[in-house]
Amino acid sequence: MRRKPIELAAVATAAVPGLTPTAVSAAPDDPADFDSALLLDSEGKRWRVRSPQHAEASARLETEFLVLRAFAPGIRAELPFLMPTVAGSVRLGSLSTFVYSHLAGSNRSVEELTAGTDSLAREIGVALAAIHDLPHALVSNADLPSYTPNEFRQRRLNELDQAATTGKIPPSLLLRWEHALEDVSLWRFNPCVVHGDLHEDNLLVEGDRVTAVTGWTDLRIGDPADDFAWLVASNEQAFVDSVLSSYTGSRRDVPDKHMLRRAALSAEFALAQYLVKGIAAGDPAMVSEAEGMLETLAGDIAEHGGQAISVEPLPSPPETGAGEPAKAGAEANVGEQVNAGPHASAGTAGTGQSSPATRQGDNTPTGSVRTPAVTVVPLPVGPETLPPPLVVPAPALPAVQVAPIPADEHSSPAEARGQEDDAADTSSGKSPSADDTSTAAITIIAGQKD
């Protein structure tokens, strides 16, 4: 159920005792996951409210709360930007709504960022370097995910297999992504702390300065290329080069030479992840939008070649020699049946394209048929070749009395107790209602950028 800004203001008064909103407006956010609002209180201080639409979005906010709590004041002081601070939360049913102290700055579109000055590009590079240089202990102490390069590559292969089973990924993209994931030389990098969800909506900018970074729900140790995916997707090479130059000069570790290739792969593969998310959510509009973007990407790559994502070029399919007709019927489909496997999707079956799950760890070029040379020799069978039958006398069995087995008594498992939200305990302790909140003095104003 969607919540209006005035309703979020009432929720905020329950999450933060003493908060008295005087004005409220809608705030930009991901509409599929959150309702958001900006508040102005009686003391002139601003607040931001984020209310999840479903359980997965609520879990992300709760994870972010744990992440933000892991950033000690000393670590925050060394960052060149500000981070959100949770002021309070309240649980409404099974979902948790959070209130944050407002951060200066505003969101800008990718087009506005890439059209900005070199100073802004350098600021973004410095911010990225600061995130990637955070101590690994920050992630491990918070019990957040950590991946080695090979573990991360295998995770992507598994995600590609899942996407292929939908039957909605163009075969040319499956071939392209699979080839890049099997190119081991592409995946030699030093893991670091990664924001995991960095894009223009999670950057707050004021003038030519990055004032804050938000959206810390996917913090992990992994591939730094993931935080560059949104930049590479902009197709503004001069801007990307300026960011990368500033990033390289600010980092303690020298970035690997294939980072932008993996970033381009991550940007393309995000469309497949969006498709899978739409199917899991049962959202036909989301699925249709993802299919359209995937088809557009496949068409652009077919026409223009696309960005380089592999070190080795994609092998061309073998051509049929002159005067040698293509095999038909069951004989022509031998290689396809061998490679299809149990996970082959509707979009790959019968085309010679195999599912990613059936090709992990296989060095055979895509499209080739793995058929070893086999010579079949008939085995002579006749009376003179068969050994005489072996006769074994059956042993005498003792008399056995069978007694009925008493029935076991089973008890039903105890029902798992739900864990109460810690932040909700510090709030008013009850859901907001008309009895304990008042919005009569709240003025609704139109949303505008800071």
Side-chain angles (χ1 to χ4, degrees):
M1 181 184 68
R2 312 290 318 184
R3 295 186 182 276
K4 298 179 180 179
I6 195 169
E7 294 176 308
L8 294 177
V11 173
T13 60
V16 182
L19 175 62
T20 305
T22 58
V24 59
S25 66
D29 210 325
D30 186 350
D33 295 329
F34 303 102
D35 292 324
S36 295
L38 290 178
L39 307 180
L40 182 68
D41 67 8
S42 56
E43 298 179 357
K45 188 176 181 180
R46 297 185 178 186
W47 309 81
R48 187 183 186 190
V49 188
R50 300 188 80 192
S51 180
Q53 284 290 306
H54 46 79
E56 190 269 339
S58 180
R60 285 169 55 193
L61 290 184
E62 291 172 2
T63 299
E64 183 182 40
F65 172 70
L66 296 176
V67 171
L68 294 176
R69 193 166 59 179
F71 279 82
I75 296 178
R76 289 179 178 241
E78 295 180 357
L79 295 174
F81 51 79
L82 297 176
M83 295 181 61
T85 300
V86 176
S89 67
V90 64
R91 200 168 188 86
L92 303 177
S94 60
L95 308 180
S96 296
T97 296
F98 285 82
V99 181
Y100 304 83
S101 298
H102 181 69
L103 297 171
S106 59
N107 298 116
R108 296 186 186 178
S109 66
V110 173
E111 292 75 18
E112 291 174 325
L113 291 175
T114 56
T117 64
D118 286 341
S119 297
L120 179 57
R122 288 194 296 270
E123 280 274 310
I124 295 175
V126 170
L128 281 165
I131 295 172
H132 294 174
D133 280 339
L134 285 168
H136 286 207
L138 177 71
V139 173
S140 58
N141 292 342
D143 200 23
L144 296 171
S146 177
Y147 303 100
T148 66
N150 190 55
E151 288 172 342
F152 186 81
R153 185 177 73 95
Q154 187 62 45
R155 181 171 178 259
R156 272 293 154 82
L157 280 166
N158 294 338
E159 291 177 336
L160 179 59
D161 181 37
Q162 182 184 16
T165 59
T166 66
K168 299 179 182 295
I169 308 292
S172 61
L173 293 181
L174 289 177
L175 283 170
R176 174 178 169 87
W177 297 339
E178 181 184 13
H179 178 70
L181 288 168
E182 289 180 345
D183 189 351
V184 179
S185 63
L186 190 68
W187 300 91
R188 293 170 181 155
F189 61 87
N190 291 327
C192 65
V193 176
V194 178
H195 181 280
D197 190 29
L198 197 62
H199 49 78
E200 65 276 12
D201 290 341
N202 285 333
L203 288 180
L204 295 180
V205 177
E206 193 171 61
D208 290 337
R209 190 168 61 91
V210 175
T211 57
V213 178
T214 62
W216 295 86
T217 59
D218 294 318
L219 191 73
R220 60 179 179 263
I221 295 175
D223 187 0
D226 279 0
D227 285 346
F228 278 85
W230 68 285
L231 289 169
V232 174
S234 69
N235 290 321
E236 295 292 341
Q237 193 57 46
F239 180 77
V240 174
D241 290 342
S242 295
V243 173
L244 182 61
S245 175
S246 174
Y247 170 83
T248 303
S250 302
R251 277 217 64 186
R252 288 195 294 265
D253 293 336
V254 178
D256 66 281
K257 60 182 179 180
H258 298 315
M259 185 176 67
L260 292 186
R261 291 179 183 268
R262 297 194 308 278
L265 170 63
S266 181
E268 293 180 10
F269 192 66
L271 299 182
Q273 294 171 318
Y274 185 66
L275 171 69
V276 172
K277 182 178 180 180
I279 293 175
D283 189 337
M286 190 174 176
V287 172
S288 178
E289 182 184 14
E291 287 186 272
M293 291 188 292
L294 285 165
E295 291 292 344
T296 300
L297 174 62
D300 289 344
I301 292 175
E303 182 177 357
H304 304 292
Q307 300 187 56
I309 63 173
S310 301
V311 179
E312 296 294 332
L314 186 67
S316 302
E319 298 180 359
T320 304
E324 181 181 348
K327 297 181 181 180
E331 184 181 1
N333 290 328
V334 170
E336 298 169 4
Q337 295 170 1
V338 169
N339 289 334
H343 301 288
S345 65
T348 61
T351 64
Q353 166 61 28
S354 61
S355 164
T358 63
R359 298 190 53 78
Q360 296 176 18
D362 180 18
N363 294 323
T364 305
T366 304
S368 63
V369 179
R370 302 185 295 273
T371 53
V374 177
T375 303
V376 179
V377 180
L379 179 66
V381 178
E384 67 281 359
T385 62
L386 297 177
L390 180 63
V391 179
V392 179
L397 299 177
V400 178
Q401 294 182 353
V402 180
I405 299 176
D408 293 334
E409 296 182 357
H410 299 282
S411 58
S412 60
E415 181 179 1
R417 296 180 178 177
Q419 182 179 5
E420 297 185 2
D421 184 65
D422 294 338
D425 291 339
T426 61
S427 66
S428 61
K430 60 180 180 179
S431 301
S433 65
D435 297 332
D436 56 7
T437 59
S438 175
T439 59
I442 296 178
T443 303
I444 304 178
I445 61 175
Q448 61 184 1
K449 294 187 177 180
D450 296 335

